[in-house]
Amino acid sequence: MEQGLESIQAMNGQTERRGLERNLGNTLALGFFQVFLVFLPIAVPFFQSKGLDMQQVFLLQAIFGAVVMITEVPSGYAADLLGRKPTLVVGAFIAGIGHTLLVFADGFLGLALFEIALGVSASLISGTDLALLYDSEAALERPEEEQRKVVGRLYGIRTTSEAASAVLCSVLLLWSMDTVIYVQAAVGWIPLLLAVRLVEPPVVRLEQTGHLENIGRICRHMMQDSVVLRLTFLALCFWSLTTFYAVWLIQQLWQDQGIELGLFGYLWALLTAVAAVGGRWAHVVEARIGTSAVLVLMGILPALGYLGLDLLGPVGAFLASASFFLARGVGLVVLRDALNRRVPGSFRATANSLASFGFRGAFVLTGPVVGHGLDLWGMSTMLWLLAGATLVIFAGIILPLVAAARAHRVMAGAA
């Protein structure tokens, strides 16, 4: 009898391990299709075709950011409290609904409903998928070096998805813009099919009482545990803005330069391929040139990019655009890995959500201002202002992070 029970337990253990091993492939596939946004390369022209101006385009993104900001921390906390898989399943289901709404969107209100659905979905999935990957790798007792690679793999697969979807966008435009939207609506349901295949990794859950105390403890850990962790968190909140604005300005710039709409997808694919390569090899680059050099490069490149967009012609401006995507690919992987290695698994999803909350909150406050400034002062003035703001963030957050990282290495070496 005892041997029979032991045999069943062993079989259950093997089944659980195989499920955890499949989590890597399934989560990466979910990440691929979550951001398989076929319409993204023509998002600005599509929104404008529905009667929106650039101020309203940025307002839409601010609405998306506000929804994510409001739901980000509760969703990450729910993932730590109730489990990673249930949170991802609900998020994937809402994503499917959101992409379907895009088919029927007409005017600002309809597009706002689409952004709201996507915002709720993004808050549920963002950070939870990364936490599930880290927890699965830890449960499988993989070496720390292997665990660190999951950030680069997830970012790489997402940006590869953006590149592939951008190429598909240009192909579908041979028919019509509506065809792009119909395909987007269909693809939007694939993440749900992948989420239900995931296996919940074993992890210490947060207590289901004292929720405010839990949140307070997590925030104190993020801001007081170490200078490196605090500055890493702030960099994810504010430095990320320096590359994010470029995403919405580049398409407008291409239109101003007279580039054909059918080429947008191919150009976007090349740029996202740059981000994918940067994310995939971020840790290799970090090992070769050092963390400090990586941080300095990712802090300066966006400023150079904004100046290049204004001062250079179409070809030079495209090369300048690549600087944003390279900085984003390398920078986000390095920063998110630094964050996730410094927080316990019991509240890893909440920590990721707090970083996203900070970023979205900063965009909600500044996005409409940038959009209004663009309509009021024009592209050239706005690019110079953003270059200046980028340098302020570089001096105020990135350089102190470089100094803190060096001090930490010195202390670790002395110990």
Short mmCIF file of all heavy atoms in Angstrom, two decimals, residues 6 8 25 36 92 117-118 126 129 176 182 223 236 244 268 291 325 375 397 414:
data_model
loop_
_atom_site.label_atom_id
_atom_site.label_comp_id
_atom_site.label_asym_id
_atom_site.label_seq_id
_atom_site.Cartn_x
_atom_site.Cartn_y
_atom_site.Cartn_z
N GLU A 6 3.62 5.86 -2.71
CA GLU A 6 4.88 6.48 -3.12
C GLU A 6 4.98 6.56 -4.63
O GLU A 6 5.48 7.54 -5.19
CB GLU A 6 6.07 5.70 -2.55
CG GLU A 6 6.21 5.81 -1.04
CD GLU A 6 7.33 4.94 -0.51
OE1 GLU A 6 7.94 4.20 -1.32
OE2 GLU A 6 7.61 5.01 0.70
N ILE A 8 2.44 6.75 -6.73
CA ILE A 8 1.51 7.79 -7.19
C ILE A 8 2.10 9.17 -6.96
O ILE A 8 2.03 10.04 -7.83
CB ILE A 8 0.15 7.65 -6.46
CG1 ILE A 8 -0.55 6.36 -6.90
CG2 ILE A 8 -0.73 8.86 -6.74
CD1 ILE A 8 -1.81 6.06 -6.12
N GLY A 25 7.77 27.50 -22.46
CA GLY A 25 7.28 27.62 -23.84
C GLY A 25 5.91 28.25 -23.93
O GLY A 25 5.66 29.11 -24.78
N PHE A 36 1.09 40.71 -30.29
CA PHE A 36 1.03 40.56 -31.75
C PHE A 36 0.00 41.57 -32.28
O PHE A 36 -1.09 41.21 -32.70
CB PHE A 36 0.63 39.13 -32.11
CG PHE A 36 0.93 38.77 -33.55
CD1 PHE A 36 2.21 38.42 -33.93
CD2 PHE A 36 -0.06 38.78 -34.51
CE1 PHE A 36 2.50 38.09 -35.25
CE2 PHE A 36 0.20 38.45 -35.83
CZ PHE A 36 1.49 38.11 -36.20
N ALA A 92 -6.16 37.29 -20.27
CA ALA A 92 -6.21 36.88 -21.68
C ALA A 92 -7.64 36.94 -22.21
O ALA A 92 -7.87 37.31 -23.37
CB ALA A 92 -5.64 35.48 -21.84
N ALA A 117 -10.38 48.17 -22.17
CA ALA A 117 -10.30 46.71 -22.10
C ALA A 117 -8.86 46.25 -22.17
O ALA A 117 -8.42 45.37 -21.41
CB ALA A 117 -11.12 46.09 -23.23
N LEU A 118 -8.08 46.85 -23.08
CA LEU A 118 -6.68 46.46 -23.21
C LEU A 118 -5.89 46.86 -21.97
O LEU A 118 -4.94 46.17 -21.58
CB LEU A 118 -6.06 47.10 -24.45
CG LEU A 118 -5.68 46.10 -25.56
CD1 LEU A 118 -6.92 45.36 -26.05
CD2 LEU A 118 -4.99 46.81 -26.71
N SER A 126 0.74 41.81 -17.33
CA SER A 126 2.06 42.42 -17.13
C SER A 126 2.60 42.12 -15.74
O SER A 126 1.94 42.38 -14.73
CB SER A 126 1.97 43.93 -17.33
OG SER A 126 3.18 44.56 -16.99
N ASP A 129 3.16 37.28 -15.83
CA ASP A 129 3.83 36.29 -16.67
C ASP A 129 5.31 36.17 -16.29
O ASP A 129 5.86 35.06 -16.23
CB ASP A 129 3.67 36.65 -18.15
CG ASP A 129 4.10 38.07 -18.49
OD1 ASP A 129 4.48 38.82 -17.56
OD2 ASP A 129 4.05 38.43 -19.68
N SER A 176 -6.79 46.11 -47.37
CA SER A 176 -7.38 47.31 -46.80
C SER A 176 -6.98 47.44 -45.34
O SER A 176 -6.50 46.48 -44.72
CB SER A 176 -8.91 47.27 -46.90
OG SER A 176 -9.43 46.27 -46.05
N TYR A 182 -9.60 43.22 -38.71
CA TYR A 182 -10.25 41.92 -38.55
C TYR A 182 -9.26 40.85 -38.10
O TYR A 182 -9.57 40.01 -37.23
CB TYR A 182 -10.90 41.49 -39.87
CG TYR A 182 -12.07 42.36 -40.28
CD1 TYR A 182 -12.28 42.70 -41.62
CD2 TYR A 182 -12.99 42.82 -39.33
CE1 TYR A 182 -13.35 43.50 -42.00
CE2 TYR A 182 -14.06 43.63 -39.71
CZ TYR A 182 -14.23 43.96 -41.04
OH TYR A 182 -15.29 44.75 -41.41
N MET A 223 11.40 50.71 -1.55
CA MET A 223 11.99 52.04 -1.42
C MET A 223 13.08 52.12 -0.35
O MET A 223 13.88 53.06 -0.37
CB MET A 223 10.89 53.06 -1.11
CG MET A 223 9.81 53.16 -2.17
SD MET A 223 10.45 53.52 -3.83
CE MET A 223 11.04 55.19 -3.59
N LEU A 236 12.62 52.41 -13.89
CA LEU A 236 11.55 51.76 -14.63
C LEU A 236 10.33 52.67 -14.74
O LEU A 236 9.60 52.63 -15.74
CB LEU A 236 11.17 50.44 -13.95
CG LEU A 236 12.14 49.27 -14.17
CD1 LEU A 236 11.83 48.13 -13.21
CD2 LEU A 236 12.08 48.79 -15.61
N PHE A 244 9.32 55.67 -24.74
CA PHE A 244 7.92 55.40 -25.04
C PHE A 244 7.29 56.49 -25.90
O PHE A 244 6.48 56.21 -26.79
CB PHE A 244 7.13 55.23 -23.74
CG PHE A 244 5.72 54.76 -23.94
CD1 PHE A 244 5.45 53.45 -24.34
CD2 PHE A 244 4.64 55.60 -23.74
CE1 PHE A 244 4.15 53.01 -24.53
CE2 PHE A 244 3.34 55.17 -23.93
CZ PHE A 244 3.10 53.86 -24.32
N TRP A 268 8.59 49.45 -39.20
CA TRP A 268 8.36 49.11 -37.79
C TRP A 268 8.98 47.75 -37.44
O TRP A 268 9.53 47.57 -36.35
CB TRP A 268 6.86 49.08 -37.50
CG TRP A 268 6.55 49.23 -36.05
CD1 TRP A 268 6.26 48.23 -35.16
CD2 TRP A 268 6.50 50.44 -35.30
NE1 TRP A 268 6.03 48.75 -33.92
CE2 TRP A 268 6.17 50.11 -33.98
CE3 TRP A 268 6.70 51.78 -35.64
CZ2 TRP A 268 6.04 51.06 -32.98
CZ3 TRP A 268 6.57 52.73 -34.65
CH2 TRP A 268 6.24 52.37 -33.34
N THR A 291 27.87 46.92 -16.16
CA THR A 291 26.56 47.50 -15.89
C THR A 291 26.56 49.01 -16.01
O THR A 291 25.63 49.62 -16.55
CB THR A 291 26.06 47.08 -14.50
OG1 THR A 291 26.04 45.65 -14.40
CG2 THR A 291 24.67 47.62 -14.22
N PHE A 325 14.84 52.10 -29.81
CA PHE A 325 14.51 50.68 -29.68
C PHE A 325 15.68 49.88 -29.12
O PHE A 325 15.47 48.93 -28.36
CB PHE A 325 14.08 50.14 -31.05
CG PHE A 325 12.72 50.64 -31.48
CD1 PHE A 325 12.57 51.91 -32.02
CD2 PHE A 325 11.60 49.85 -31.31
CE1 PHE A 325 11.31 52.38 -32.40
CE2 PHE A 325 10.34 50.30 -31.69
CZ PHE A 325 10.20 51.57 -32.23
N ASP A 375 0.67 69.54 -31.09
CA ASP A 375 -0.31 70.26 -31.91
C ASP A 375 -0.07 71.77 -31.87
O ASP A 375 -0.32 72.48 -32.85
CB ASP A 375 -1.73 69.95 -31.44
CG ASP A 375 -2.16 68.52 -31.76
OD1 ASP A 375 -1.66 67.97 -32.75
OD2 ASP A 375 -2.97 67.96 -31.00
N ILE A 397 18.37 60.28 -12.28
CA ILE A 397 18.10 58.90 -11.88
C ILE A 397 19.19 57.93 -12.35
O ILE A 397 19.72 57.15 -11.55
CB ILE A 397 16.73 58.43 -12.41
CG1 ILE A 397 15.60 59.26 -11.80
CG2 ILE A 397 16.51 56.94 -12.11
CD1 ILE A 397 14.23 58.91 -12.32
N ALA A 414 34.18 43.56 -0.90
CA ALA A 414 34.82 43.62 0.42
C ALA A 414 34.32 42.54 1.33
O ALA A 414 35.05 41.98 2.16
CB ALA A 414 34.57 45.00 1.04
#
